[in-house]
Amino acid sequence: RSFILFWSPMSESAEKLYRFTREAFGPLSFYPLHYDLLFDVRETTVRVTAKQTYIYQGEEETSSCLLLNCHNLEIHSVGLFKTSSKLGPPTTGIEAIPPNFVAHVSSFKDLQEISFTVNEKDRLLEVQLPSPVSQGEEIVIQTVSTCRPNDHDLEGIYFDYTPDGAPQTMITQCQQYGFQRIVPCVDRMISKLFYTTTIVADKRYTNLISNGDLADGFFDSDNNPQYQSVSEVFGEQSEQILPEYSGPERHVLRYYNHKVNMAPYLFFLGVGTYEVYRRSVEYPRGEEFQLELVCFPNIVKPQHAAAALKALHDSIIWLYVSCGEEAYCHKEEEQQIFKLIQEREAIKEKLQGTLVHRIGDPKQETKLGEEEREQLTSKLVEIRHKLSELSFVWKETGYCYTGTCYREIAMENSNYGGMENVGNTTILSSRLTPSDWLIDGAYIYMEGVKIHEFYHNINGSQVTGASPFEIWLNEAVTVHIQRQREYDLFGHDLIRLRHVQYAFTPASGPLAQDRSPVSMAVEPIGFNTTHELISAMTYSKAPEFVRMVELILGPEGFSRALANYHKKFAFGNATTLQWIEEMSALAPDDVDLVEMSRGWLNRTGYPTVTVRDMTYEASSGQVSVEFEQSGFPDDGSENSGPWLIPIDWALVKDGKNIRTGVYVFRKAKSTFVISDVHESPDFISVGRDWSFFGDVHYDSSAASASQRMCQALSDPDTVNRYLAVQSIVDNEKAKLIRALVSKADKSELVVSDECLKLFGSILTDSSLSNSSRAKLLTIDEAISNYPELGHHYFEIADAKTILQHSIYDNHGETVLRVFKELFAACQVVRPQGDGIADRMMMHWCFSILQAGADKPSVSVRGEVADSLKSLDLLEHLKTMLGSYAMSDKYFALQKILQLRNIEETERQQILDDAKAIWTVHPIGCEQYISCVAYANSHQAPKYIRQLMDKETSPFFNMALAGHARSIARGWCSDRKMAVLDPEGLKMTEELFLTIGKVNQMSAYSFFGAFSDLHKFDPETKSRLEESLRRMQSGLDASKQESLYNQLNILLSGKKDK
């Protein structure tokens, strides 16, 4: 007999470490072609009748056994239709024409029951076919099953936010193995099939939603849902099809997902009570579809809904015009199109009264005279004609949506911030729209997630990775496009510096995670749950790999290669190698991208490039520099050997680039010669704009201390300027940390004059934006350039304080002046995006002022300037608490929790007042929990316990992933408290088990807290290992399999190499 292989016995090396290995994802024997799904939605259960069409393509000539994934389902019956029409082999390719699925479903006749067995251990439904099925033969089976949603298993169908008095909202999350929790199926990424979905649910629900377009007979002339009664749809068979129902009256809606075949993990079903805002998208060539913003009632203000739809609309147009094969070919026409679309939309708004309409509201009447209306209508026709003409300059535009409606749907509880579901993107309600409660980082995310999830329509949905090991392929390219849009919206430097700063974050940052004991390669050797793949490796390291490929091909070559990939594998699946081959077709002949990908995708870690021996010979006009790389295995194994690294470089003189280029570095050591250099450069800037995922160290033979200082002051590349500043600051920190560890006298804890001058220069550098100044001046509680010192958490914190005190003592008056200017500017109400840079710089200034005036001294302090003595920190914070900007409120509350010179009764009263105001609103509630959890206060345990106490914080819900995640990540961000403090370590154990038993994914951040385990002295290491063992012993090895197995890896020292 032949069957589908879902997972195989593990190899000895993977035993007890991973549930799934790559061998588990072989070819399909029975390939699904179409699922006709009937959802019988009841108060606490969902009964599903699934008519499933398969074609046999197994290696054996015949098979009489069909295996379906089946997880926590009650199976009532399985049947086989004796009569059905044929669909033919799977349809793939850009020109593919799907068959007639309506006619196919109507052909099903003569259902006979067949035998089956439920294998709960392996999560399988074993179906015994009455006779063998031959190659190319199609069968149609019917399964009837019931699933039981709840509020904490956030996979399959589960309960989400439900307004008072409304029936229970239910939504689905099928990535990656959620569909098998809904219906028995072939739950694989290569199961690209079509769906017909019929929903029977309570008439009180405002929305019944699934993938595809509304079926014939189920929509009106405005494309609004037109529900039908149960009797109209099922007639006399109603009681047989929907047995034993006695609840509220129900009605029926049906969807056809017959245009785009999709993997089961992209399936969506939602029944709930919502407010819906609608706006149309009109492409330059006239194609049109509807956008719907599906919001929780009374949560979103109409102006915020309109702003969210505008942001989505503009990103969709940007994708169509600015991306695709000809992304860099028509820049002049591109700008004309954007301008004309603005004019067109403004005219439409005048004619219609509004561009955004809330469904259920009366349509606005416009007060236009006949003549004005005619003029506007004529102008609209003219603009549309111009747009069409301009658009045909493109032979191939960017992606054009194929459906009639694209929705963004609010969700409250999810392991993900957003999830693409082919036409129905779910997004956390707190990130769905602009809001009075949205901090600046969340606002940037709100803009980014819109283009990210929409781009998945082509990258991830239309072309899908072949297995979970290719999840990176769906995500990394999508993140890359998202970043381009964010550069366009917020400026390159602000966004790119955010990427780099995050990358170097200790414990939780991508670089730290990539060298942690539990690190996994982008394409790992195995995993326990696909949640483990939703990681910094997938969303940071992999996009940097894509960016490196773009750097090698050039932007135009990369755009063409990506378009070729999307056309070649349209409506099908692709492997990593197939993506690499499409890139390779346009890569330089001397660059082996396959070799490059083996290093970057199939092993953990990253390279460190050391720059040595830079010389300039005036007579020959040549600069010579030596590069040496480390951080790669050199044991002769398949994936050993140096990394292939694209190094973006520049020679800089007087703050200007005099030579630039990209050098592909592929050996352990190499000498690079630059010709035609007519003057001695001040320095060489290596890895510009963070051109590879790793770090660069400059040996003194390549860059003296004065040259590094020059780079910190004048490198045109803002990223390398930032990294140069950080290296100088880390040098100071290292000196201070070593002195602190050796118990040196306070008089030795001194910051150099050169470092202080650097801070003074950047502080007053008017050529920099406020966001760049704030980033360059950042003093993190970390020391990335000295990993051997990275585990001295208390000393690192003290070193930061000494630096802050020194800046305050030497530049305090300037800091105060800048702060007051920005403080005044930030009181003026303006669009959120416009104020981000000013708030960043204002918050940095206040942090210095607070440290100088409030933090206990660690070193010998200087004399405080008279102008600083009257500074009232608390009064300024109280003013910020009343700001229109949520980022100011959030920042102020955290600083109040950190203050030392404040009465505890006043602090608690301020905290209670904020709690009373913020937690009334669900998004404000989330912000309150996050703010307190991340406060890094000296009284953090007290505040964490207050959050988790049901009496003091009845709003806190551990079952909500966002609440639990905030506690876990916030607590673990302060490792001196979470790991090295004895009482804090006990709390770490308690929080890990409390959170992990509810939602494993929410507890992953605890592993990062122990990432320096191997660095500690034997006594400390032993104490931490005992703590980890206690954490593991508190888990159920089966129920918390992912956490349990990752602790095995952490304790054993084995990792995915």
Side-chain angles (χ1 to χ4, degrees):
R1 77 192 164 100
S2 178
F3 56 89
I4 306 164
L5 186 64
F6 290 91
W7 61 78
S8 60
M10 297 187 192
S11 64
E12 186 176 346
S13 62
E15 188 176 2
K16 295 184 180 180
L17 299 181
Y18 305 112
R19 180 179 181 88
F20 298 102
T21 57
R22 187 172 273 283
E23 290 78 13
F25 300 92
L28 299 178
S29 296
F30 283 92
Y31 192 98
L33 301 174
H34 177 262
Y35 286 168
D36 179 81
L37 305 172
L38 168 61
F39 288 89
D40 178 357
V41 181
R42 308 187 179 200
E43 187 175 352
T44 59
T45 63
V46 179
R47 182 184 175 97
V48 185
T49 301
K51 299 171 183 177
Q52 308 182 3
T53 304
Y54 294 93
I55 186 170
Y56 179 65
Q57 298 180 332
E59 295 180 1
E60 303 294 331
E61 289 186 10
T62 63
S63 176
S64 58
C65 181
L66 169 63
L67 297 185
L68 301 178
N69 294 105
C70 176
H71 191 182
N72 285 351
L73 296 176
E74 180 184 351
I75 308 300
H76 302 296
S77 65
V78 180
L80 176 72
F81 288 98
K82 292 181 181 180
T83 302
S84 62
S85 65
K86 306 305 176 188
L87 291 176
T91 56
T92 60
I94 198 75
E95 303 296 334
I97 300 176
N100 187 332
F101 297 109
V102 176
H104 175 63
V105 171
S106 66
S107 74
F108 300 165
K109 295 177 183 177
D110 303 324
L111 180 68
Q112 69 172 102
E113 288 199 10
I114 56 178
S115 61
F116 63 90
T117 303
V118 177
N119 180 343
E120 292 184 2
K121 180 177 180 295
D122 292 333
R123 303 172 185 170
L124 295 175
L125 174 65
E126 301 171 359
V127 179
Q128 300 301 321
L129 302 173
S131 59
V133 179
S134 303
Q135 281 281 346
E137 186 177 346
E138 294 181 29
I139 61 170
V140 180
I141 68 164
Q142 174 179 287
T143 64
V144 181
S145 59
T146 295
C147 60
R148 290 175 169 77
N150 58 52
D151 65 355
H152 55 273
D153 290 321
L154 308 182
E155 202 173 48
I157 301 179
Y158 65 91
F159 298 153
D160 200 43
Y161 174 82
T162 303
D164 291 340
Q168 176 64 60
T169 298
M170 301 184 199
I171 63 172
T172 60
Q173 172 57 255
C174 292
Q175 183 163 343
Q176 196 69 51
Y177 292 131
F179 196 62
Q180 62 189 263
R181 289 176 176 264
I182 301 172
V183 61
C185 62
V186 179
D187 203 356
R188 292 278 300 278
M189 291 170 71
I190 56 174
S191 302
K192 300 287 289 282
L193 68 148
F194 299 89
Y195 302 76
T196 299
T197 303
T198 304
I199 309 168
V200 182
D202 194 323
K203 291 183 74 171
R204 293 176 298 164
Y205 286 122
T206 60
N207 296 82
L208 310 182
I209 301 171
S210 192
N211 308 91
D213 299 326
L214 288 166
D216 295 342
F218 288 88
F219 61 91
D220 62 19
S221 58
D222 292 325
N223 202 39
N224 292 313
Q226 188 166 301
Y227 297 92
Q228 296 190 23
S229 69
V230 170
S231 60
E232 284 177 314
V233 177
F234 303 109
E236 296 179 356
Q237 293 183 309
S238 297
E239 291 187 9
Q240 179 184 346
I241 294 172
L242 309 168
E244 301 175 3
Y245 179 76
S246 59
E249 186 179 357
R250 301 188 296 176
H251 57 189
V252 184
L253 200 62
R254 179 173 293 153
Y255 289 87
Y256 289 158
N257 193 87
H258 295 175
K259 293 179 182 177
V260 178
N261 58 351
M262 66 181 192
Y265 80 91
L266 296 167
F267 180 81
F268 180 76
L269 180 88
V271 295
T273 305
Y274 301 98
E275 286 180 341
V276 180
Y277 293 86
R278 181 180 282 179
R279 175 178 175 162
S280 68
V281 173
E282 183 182 346
Y283 284 118
R285 293 178 183 175
E287 306 99 326
E288 195 167 359
F289 66 95
Q290 293 294 325
L291 298 178
E292 287 188 356
L293 193 74
V294 184
C295 312
F296 296 140
N298 305 315
I299 298 296
V300 175
K301 293 181 178 180
Q303 66 267 31
H304 292 151
L309 284 171
K310 182 182 186 303
L312 177 58
H313 170 277
D314 292 353
S315 285
I316 289 169
I317 296 297
W318 173 86
L319 180 62
Y320 179 87
V321 175
S322 300
C323 297
E325 185 172 352
E326 300 172 42
Y328 295 89
C329 299
H330 314 292
K331 287 300 177 183
E332 185 177 337
E333 290 86 355
E334 184 180 318
Q335 293 308 310
Q336 291 179 53
I337 283 177
F338 286 139
K339 183 178 179 182
L340 285 170
I341 285 177
Q342 281 187 333
E343 292 181 30
R344 183 194 68 193
E345 295 302 293
I347 291 173
K348 286 165 66 175
E349 187 170 21
K350 288 180 180 178
L351 290 170
Q352 298 167 191
T354 179
L355 292 172
V356 175
H357 173 69
R358 180 164 56 186
I359 294 177
D361 287 354
K363 291 191 175 181
Q364 292 190 16
E365 294 185 8
T366 57
K367 297 178 180 179
L368 296 175
E370 186 175 340
E371 183 178 350
E372 185 181 4
R373 181 174 291 279
E374 286 180 0
Q375 289 175 346
L376 289 172
T377 302
S378 176
K379 182 66 174 177
L380 186 60
V381 170
E382 180 186 335
I383 288 174
R384 282 173 169 156
H385 179 70
K386 286 181 181 178
L387 282 169
S388 181
E389 277 189 339
L390 282 168
S391 71
F392 280 100
V393 172
W394 279 259
K395 294 179 181 177
E396 296 283 347
T397 64
Y399 174 71
C400 182
Y401 187 65
T402 58
T404 59
C405 182
Y406 177 80
R407 300 179 189 87
E408 288 188 336
I409 304 165
M411 59 180 175
E412 181 182 50
N413 201 9
S414 177
N415 288 319
Y416 311 110
M419 176 62 203
E420 74 281 10
N421 302 292
V422 184
N424 295 288
T425 285
T426 47
I427 299 175
L428 288 174
S429 177
S430 59
R431 303 294 185 273
L432 183 67
T433 71
S435 164
D436 296 336
W437 300 101
L438 213 58
I439 62 173
D440 292 337
Y443 178 80
I444 292 171
Y445 181 95
M446 184 275 298
E447 286 277 9
V449 75
K450 293 187 180 302
I451 186 61
H452 179 105
E453 303 303 347
F454 187 81
Y455 188 72
H456 269 312
N457 281 296
I458 185 171
N459 193 76
S461 301
Q462 192 163 298
V463 182
T464 309
S467 79
F469 292 93
E470 279 89 10
I471 280 181
W472 82 269
L473 196 52
N474 293 350
E475 297 299 335
V477 174
T478 303
V479 170
H480 184 73
I481 298 299
Q482 171 192 336
R483 288 176 172 184
Q484 291 181 350
R485 178 59 175 158
E486 289 170 342
Y487 294 154
D488 190 58
L489 289 170
F490 300 104
H492 171 274
D493 287 355
L494 187 154
I495 296 299
R496 191 58 178 158
L497 285 171
R498 280 170 58 90
H499 300 159
V500 175
Q501 187 174 25
Y502 168 58
F504 285 89
T505 301
S508 61
L511 292 173
Q513 288 192 38
D514 203 17
R515 285 185 176 174
S516 78
V518 294
S519 64
M520 299 172 71
V522 173
E523 285 196 353
I525 61 174
F527 58 90
N528 302 294
T529 167
T530 49
H531 294 325
E532 295 169 10
L533 305 177
I534 309 303
S535 67
M537 299 306 98
T538 299
Y539 288 87
S540 291
K541 185 177 184 179
E544 293 301 334
F545 170 73
V546 171
R547 190 176 180 279
M548 288 186 274
V549 172
E550 182 189 51
L551 188 59
I552 291 169
L553 272 62
E556 293 184 31
F558 178 80
S559 295
R560 290 198 303 273
L562 191 57
N564 292 341
Y565 165 78
H566 286 140
K567 283 187 279 190
K568 186 172 183 178
F569 298 101
F571 307 105
N573 297 87
T575 64
T576 292
L577 181 59
Q578 288 169 327
W579 188 84
I580 295 295
E581 287 173 345
E582 289 305 309
M583 299 298 113
S584 297
L586 294 176
D589 293 338
D590 61 342
V591 178
D592 186 343
L593 294 183
V594 175
E595 174 197 350
M596 177 182 175
S597 69
R598 288 196 191 106
W600 288 104
L601 302 180
N602 299 132
R603 68 189 184 196
T604 60
Y606 57 86
T608 295
V609 172
T610 301
V611 187
R612 305 183 192 278
D613 300 326
M614 177 176 164
T615 59
Y616 170 65
E617 291 186 6
S619 58
S620 62
Q622 288 187 335
V623 168
S624 174
V625 64
E626 184 178 280
F627 295 138
E628 183 177 356
Q629 62 167 290
S630 58
F632 58 87
D634 196 20
D635 54 9
S637 61
E638 182 182 0
N639 284 335
S640 66
W643 307 84
L644 195 153
I645 307 169
I647 296 177
D648 191 334
W649 59 269
L651 297 178
V652 181
K653 180 73 173 180
D654 297 330
K656 296 180 181 178
N657 297 327
I658 57 174
R659 289 295 309 277
T660 62
V662 176
Y663 173 63
V664 179
F665 180 31
R666 67 196 87 202
K667 297 180 180 180
K669 185 184 291 187
S670 182
T671 299
F672 177 48
V673 177
I674 305 166
S675 301
D676 298 322
V677 183
H678 304 299
E679 56 184 332
S680 177
D682 293 334
F683 56 88
I684 184 170
S685 183
V686 175
R688 293 191 306 157
D689 208 31
W690 207 44
S691 72
F692 65 93
F693 184 86
D695 54 3
V696 176
H697 287 175
Y698 291 83
D699 183 78
S700 59
S701 60
S704 64
S706 61
Q707 285 177 308
R708 289 295 276 161
M709 185 64 71
C710 181
Q711 184 175 15
L713 290 168
S714 65
D715 196 328
D717 180 68
T718 308
V719 169
N720 268 2
R721 187 174 176 184
Y722 164 81
L723 292 172
V725 172
Q726 291 303 307
S727 73
I728 292 168
V729 172
D730 276 3
N731 289 341
E732 296 292 325
K733 288 180 187 174
K735 177 184 67 177
L736 295 169
I737 290 165
R738 290 183 178 121
L740 288 162
V741 169
S742 66
K743 310 295 183 185
D745 187 79
K746 277 190 174 185
S747 61
E748 298 180 40
L749 303 176
V750 179
V751 178
S752 70
D753 291 340
E754 291 77 15
C755 182
L756 290 171
K757 287 177 183 176
L758 173 62
F759 275 97
S761 296
I762 297 171
L763 182 60
T764 56
D765 188 343
S766 59
S767 68
L768 289 167
S769 67
N770 277 331
S771 62
S772 292
R773 275 203 295 171
K775 288 295 184 185
L776 289 173
L777 292 166
T778 296
I779 306 172
D780 287 320
E781 200 168 294
I783 184 161
S784 60
N785 287 286
Y786 292 84
E788 71 277 11
L789 299 176
H791 61 297
H792 294 291
Y793 306 141
F794 286 106
E795 289 79 8
I796 291 172
D798 286 343
K800 175 181 177 178
T801 298
I802 294 168
L803 279 160
Q804 290 177 318
H805 284 170
S806 297
I807 295 168
Y808 178 86
D809 293 345
N810 286 270
H811 302 297
E813 290 181 292
T814 304
V815 172
L816 180 60
R817 175 179 56 76
V818 175
F819 169 74
K820 286 183 174 179
E821 292 171 359
L822 293 169
F823 186 77
C826 288
Q827 306 308 305
V828 179
V829 178
R830 49 185 159 166
Q832 184 160 2
D834 295 348
I836 291 175
D838 285 354
R839 284 189 288 273
M840 288 172 64
M841 189 62 198
M842 180 183 72
H843 294 169
W844 180 87
C845 289
F846 187 89
S847 295
I848 295 297
L849 296 172
Q850 181 207 4
D854 186 70
K855 275 189 179 181
S857 296
V858 182
S859 59
V860 176
R861 298 289 302 277
E863 188 68 30
V864 178
D866 290 339
S867 61
L868 297 171
K869 292 178 181 178
S870 60
L871 178 64
D872 191 329
L873 295 172
L874 186 57
E875 281 306 307
H876 281 93
L877 290 173
K878 287 179 178 179
T879 301
M880 279 191 257
L881 275 175
S883 169
Y884 76 94
M886 189 63 199
S887 279
D888 285 347
K889 297 177 183 179
Y890 188 100
F891 174 82
L893 186 58
Q894 284 194 332
K895 290 301 176 184
I896 287 169
L897 294 180
Q898 294 170 9
L899 282 177
R900 300 281 182 159
N901 298 314
I902 182 175
E903 292 293 332
E904 282 303 319
T905 53
E906 184 173 14
R907 190 202 317 264
Q908 189 62 51
Q909 186 61 55
I910 292 170
L911 184 62
D912 290 343
D913 290 346
K915 177 166 61 176
I917 297 169
W918 296 16
T919 60
V920 170
H921 193 284
I923 303 175
C925 179
E926 185 178 306
Q927 297 290 17
Y928 177 82
I929 293 167
S930 170
C931 180
V932 174
Y934 279 93
N936 286 348
S937 164
H938 52 289
Q939 299 187 94
K942 169 186 171 182
Y943 300 129
I944 294 292
R945 292 202 182 280
Q946 283 183 3
L947 279 177
M948 297 177 66
D949 185 282
K950 289 183 179 180
E951 290 188 8
T952 58
S953 303
F955 52 84
F956 182 81
N957 184 355
M958 188 64 77
L960 291 179
H963 290 193
R965 252 194 321 263
S966 290
I967 293 284
R969 293 178 180 175
W971 175 254
C972 291
S973 67
D974 185 0
R975 290 191 290 176
K976 59 184 182 295
M977 178 71 76
V979 176
L980 294 186
D981 179 81
E983 291 304 312
L985 184 59
K986 289 180 183 178
M987 190 164 185
T988 297
E989 296 175 24
E990 176 188 339
L991 291 173
F992 173 79
L993 292 172
T994 302
I995 293 169
K997 288 180 179 180
V998 176
N999 187 320
Q1000 294 184 80
M1001 193 173 181
S1002 296
Y1004 286 166
S1005 55
F1006 286 96
F1007 299 130
F1010 292 89
S1011 60
D1012 288 327
L1013 182 65
H1014 64 286
K1015 296 181 183 179
F1016 291 106
D1017 61 83
E1019 181 182 346
T1020 304
K1021 182 180 179 184
S1022 176
R1023 185 172 70 251
L1024 297 182
E1025 287 175 339
E1026 284 301 314
S1027 177
L1028 290 168
R1029 290 189 185 94
R1030 286 192 294 272
M1031 290 159 65
Q1032 188 180 47
S1033 67
L1035 298 172
D1036 183 303
S1038 175
K1039 293 180 180 178
Q1040 290 91 42
E1041 180 182 40
S1042 176
L1043 297 178
Y1044 192 93
N1045 287 351
Q1046 289 195 69
L1047 282 168
N1048 272 339
I1049 298 169
L1050 187 56
L1051 287 165
S1052 69
K1054 296 178 181 178
K1055 63 183 290 186
D1056 185 2
K1057 295 183 180 179

